[in-house]
């Protein structure tokens, strides 16, 4: 199977490039991204958005929340109730009344219009509206989250592909040493212990390769779960972008969909608290009614109109408890908003620190990899031709070179991963990577 890998590179310094205020306001950013890479990312992200059941659920909830507003608004209009009575038979003792005759079926109409309710309907509408906003923010959050998960898994797949390539080279090198020593021990049995050492290193290398192969398969499975299709990365794909600055992320944290959702839910709970308190007060209605039922003289009733006052004077404390519960939920939503914002700000600083530390480590590991590569070559020559080094020195040098190469790849991908997490924290996945979601 053809081995493919993605080369990810950051062009700017670890401190990032501070975006101008105009760029922050307009949402335009120069990420120095290759066109082919952007096309691939857009394709995979759109596949994930189209396939994701989470997006479908969030979209349905968003639609339902909009209908909930219409449902609550309907209470402002006159409520018309129609009724019909169709007597079928009379039985038992007593005199028969006119209304019990089969021919005396009657119809009724009752129109109730709320005149004054202490703002209950207004507050219910406000609560439903904020819930609709919360559902819309949740829908946007799910889109951002699916895009982030897709990009993160692409980075992980890149990590494992590169580690797989390095480990395959390490296994090949250990196998060469084992084969070489196998031939040597046929003429020099005294070096059999060196063959045992080489075989042990080969088994360790093969174990590492199997572990990395499993990690790659898991990443491919996760990408297939996200997109609905098997994902392969083309060769020589170059993903370059500037690291997002902490100043830009902090300026956008308050616009994150999860925070906006928490804020909308807190406001919805406040409206609901006010509506619950208003429902415990007297409500004034205007009533218009008419029934075709006939009295004892065979005459139908007249139209009736008047004012009606409804007041639940005593409910066993249930309305008071409902108001207190609603107020407690509103307080909890406010605390949740504050906690979420504080956690996100902490995460921004933590991710920035991790990204910058990973970049420093990556530079050091790159230098160290070059040095250990030279050391392994020198030790090998000194062992094979001059006899100045033991096989253990050679194996140790080979192992150090392998570990440093893997550490370099992991540090580089930690930079990419943390930077994408920062972009997601700023809720700028689509803007930063110039993606145009189709949903």
């Amino acid at each position: 199977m053809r081995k493919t890998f993605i080369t990810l590179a950051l062009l700017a310094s670890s401190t990032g490039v501070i975006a101008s205020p105009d760029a922050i306001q307009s949402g335009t950013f120069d990420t120095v991204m290759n066109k082919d890479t952007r096309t691939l990312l857009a394709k995979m992200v759109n596949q994930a958005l189209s396939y994701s059941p989470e997006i479908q659920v969030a979209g349905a909830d968003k639609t339902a929340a909009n209908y909930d507003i219409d449902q609550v608004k309907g209470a402002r209009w006159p409520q018309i109730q129609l009724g019909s009575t169709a007597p079928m038979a009379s039985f038992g003792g007593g005199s028969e009344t006119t209304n019990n005759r089969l021919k005396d079926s009657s119809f009724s109409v009752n129109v109730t219009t709320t005149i004054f309710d202490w703002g209950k309907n207004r507050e219910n509408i406000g609560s439903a509206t904020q819930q609709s906003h919360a559902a819309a923010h949740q829908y946007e959050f799910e889109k951002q989250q699916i895009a982030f998960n897709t990009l993160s898994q692409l980075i992980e797949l890149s990590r494992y592909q590169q580690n797989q390539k390095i480990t395959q080279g390490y296994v090949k090198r250990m196998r060469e040493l084992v084969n070489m020593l196998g031939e040597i021990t046929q003429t020099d049995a005294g070096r059999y212990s060196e063959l045992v050492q080489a075989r042990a290193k080969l088994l360790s290398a093969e174990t590492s390769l199997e572990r990395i192969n499993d990690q790659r398969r898991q990443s491919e499975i996760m990408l297939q779960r996200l997109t609905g299709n098997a994902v392969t990365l083309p060769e020589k794909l170059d993903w370059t972008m500037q690291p997002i600055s902490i100043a830009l992320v902090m300026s956008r944290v308050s616009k994150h969909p999860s925070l906006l959702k928490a804020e909308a839910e807190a406001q919805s709970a406040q409206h609901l608290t006010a509506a619950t308190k208003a429902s415990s007060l007297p409500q004034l209605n205007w009533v218009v009614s008419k029934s075709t039922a006939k009295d004892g003289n065979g005459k139908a009733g007249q139209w009736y109109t008047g004012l009606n006052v409804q007041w639940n004077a005593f409910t066993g404390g249930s309305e008071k408890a409902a108001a207190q519960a609603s107020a407690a939920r509103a307080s909890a939503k406010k605390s949740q908003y504050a906690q979420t914002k504080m956690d996100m700000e902490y995460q921004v600083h933590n991710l920035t620190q991790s990204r910058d530390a990973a970049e420093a480590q990556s530079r050091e590991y790159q230098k160290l990899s070059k040095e250990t590569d030279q050391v392994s070559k020198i030790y090998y020559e000194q062992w094979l031709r001059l006899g100045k080094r033991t096989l253990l020195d050679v194996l140790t040098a080979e192992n150090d070179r392998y570990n440093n190469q893997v550490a370099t790849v992991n540090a580089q991908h930690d930079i990419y991963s943390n930077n994408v997490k920062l972009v997601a924290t700023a809720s700028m996945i689509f803007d930063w990577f110039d993606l145009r979601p189709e949903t």
Side-chain angles (χ1 to χ4, degrees):
M1 182 179 66
R2 184 178 65 179
K3 306 299 185 300
T4 60
F5 65 95
I6 180 172
T7 302
L8 306 177
L10 294 175
L11 297 184
S13 66
S14 61
T15 57
V17 177
I18 307 299
S20 66
D22 292 339
I24 294 176
Q25 294 296 328
S26 64
T28 59
F29 311 99
D30 180 16
T31 59
V32 199
M33 177 161 287
N34 181 278
K35 181 179 179 181
D36 293 336
T37 302
R38 186 181 297 119
T39 300
L40 175 66
L41 294 181
K43 176 183 177 182
M44 291 190 175
V45 167
N46 280 313
Q47 284 181 355
L49 293 177
S50 300
Y51 179 74
S52 171
E54 293 87 352
I55 295 293
Q56 297 174 13
V57 171
D61 289 340
K62 178 183 175 183
T63 302
N66 290 333
Y67 284 122
D68 286 339
I69 297 176
D70 295 335
Q71 178 185 359
V72 177
K73 284 183 176 180
R76 299 179 304 176
W77 297 93
Q79 306 297 300
I80 302 176
Q81 294 179 326
L82 300 177
S84 174
T85 302
M88 299 182 65
S90 60
F91 54 89
S95 61
E96 181 182 11
T97 62
T98 305
N99 288 341
N100 285 335
R101 296 173 183 173
L102 295 178
K103 65 179 180 179
D104 285 331
S105 297
S106 63
F107 297 91
S108 63
V109 57
N110 187 75
V111 181
T112 303
T113 304
T114 301
I115 301 299
F116 184 72
D117 61 359
W118 303 92
K120 183 180 73 172
N121 283 343
R122 182 183 68 250
E123 297 297 339
N124 281 331
I125 292 173
S127 177
T129 301
Q130 291 301 325
Q131 283 295 338
S132 176
H133 293 164
H137 294 315
Q138 179 64 26
Y139 178 71
E140 181 62 27
F141 172 78
E142 291 295 344
K143 286 171 44 179
Q144 293 271 347
Q145 190 66 26
I146 292 299
F148 164 72
N149 290 340
T150 303
L151 295 178
S152 295
Q153 283 303 318
L154 286 173
I155 292 174
E156 292 306 300
L157 180 57
S158 168
R159 181 199 302 268
Y160 300 136
Q161 285 185 174
Q162 291 192 30
N163 284 340
Q164 183 186 57
K165 185 177 181 180
I166 294 171
T167 307
Q168 286 172 343
Y170 181 52
V171 170
K172 181 180 179 181
R173 181 59 174 163
M174 291 298 100
R175 189 170 289 121
E176 289 174 352
L177 290 174
V178 168
N179 293 337
M180 182 186 301
L181 285 168
E183 296 177 357
I184 292 175
T185 54
Q186 292 179 1
T187 58
D188 186 358
R191 302 184 67 177
Y192 183 77
S193 61
E194 293 182 342
L195 177 60
V196 174
Q197 295 177 41
R199 284 176 176 172
K201 286 294 183 180
L202 174 60
L203 289 174
S204 177
E206 290 175 339
T207 301
S208 297
L209 180 59
E210 186 62 32
R211 174 177 55 80
I212 293 173
N213 289 340
D214 181 63
Q215 290 174 330
R216 176 178 175 175
R217 285 192 293 268
Q218 290 181 6
S219 182
E220 290 172 339
I221 291 172
M222 181 58 69
L223 279 169
Q224 186 169 5
R225 156 66 179 85
L226 288 168
T227 64
N229 299 305
V231 175
T232 57
L233 298 178
E235 292 187 59
K236 299 180 180 179
L237 181 66
D238 182 29
W239 184 7
T240 58
M241 65 174 175
Q242 296 176 354
I244 189 171
S245 69
I246 186 173
L248 179 56
V249 177
M250 293 301 292
S251 70
R252 294 287 295 259
V253 163
S254 60
K255 301 299 181 182
H256 194 278
S258 62
L259 272 179
L260 294 176
K261 176 190 175 185
E263 184 178 17
E265 288 179 338
Q267 293 179 4
S268 175
Q270 290 177 341
H271 285 294
L272 188 59
T273 300
T276 303
K277 291 180 179 179
S279 65
S280 64
L281 300 174
Q283 177 174 311
L284 180 62
N285 301 320
W286 175 32
V287 178
V288 178
S289 63
K290 166 69 175 176
S291 175
T292 62
K294 297 178 181 180
D295 59 14
N297 298 322
K299 294 182 178 181
Q302 296 179 319
W303 283 92
Y304 164 82
T305 183
L307 296 177
N308 170 262
V309 178
Q310 291 181 337
W311 182 27
N312 296 326
F314 180 74
T315 61
S318 61
E319 289 188 347
K320 180 179 179 181
Q324 291 174 337
S326 182
R329 292 190 184 96
S331 177
K333 292 296 182 181
K334 289 182 179 180
S335 299
Q336 182 182 1
Y337 172 82
Q339 181 65 45
T340 302
K341 185 175 182 180
M342 183 174 62
D343 289 344
M344 290 182 68
E345 291 174 348
Y346 168 79
Q347 185 183 27
V348 169
H349 291 287
N350 189 40
L351 288 172
T352 304
Q353 175 69 23
S354 298
R355 182 192 64 187
D356 295 346
E359 185 170 6
Q361 292 175 2
S362 176
R363 290 195 299 265
E364 295 302 320
Y365 277 125
Q366 285 177 347
K367 297 177 183 178
L368 191 56
S369 294
K370 293 180 181 178
E371 294 298 327
T372 52
D373 182 62
Q374 294 296 323
V375 170
S376 64
K377 293 178 180 178
I378 293 172
Y379 277 22
Y380 174 74
E381 292 294 329
Q382 291 178 344
W383 166 73
L384 181 64
R385 305 187 186 282
L386 302 177
K388 293 184 177 181
R389 295 289 177 181
T390 65
L391 178 65
L392 182 59
D393 293 334
V394 175
L395 296 176
T396 300
E398 291 289 345
N399 187 68
D400 288 344
R401 179 175 68 168
Y402 165 71
N403 288 334
N404 289 330
Q405 288 176 339
V406 171
T408 300
V409 170
N410 287 337
Q412 289 173 342
H413 285 77
D414 286 343
I415 300 171
Y416 314 145
S417 179
N418 288 328
N419 202 58
V420 170
K421 288 178 182 178
L422 283 168
V423 173
T425 304
S427 63
M428 293 163 54
I429 287 289
F430 299 112
D431 291 335
W432 190 261
F433 295 101
D434 194 23
L435 303 179
R436 295 293 177 263
E438 297 173 357
T439 59

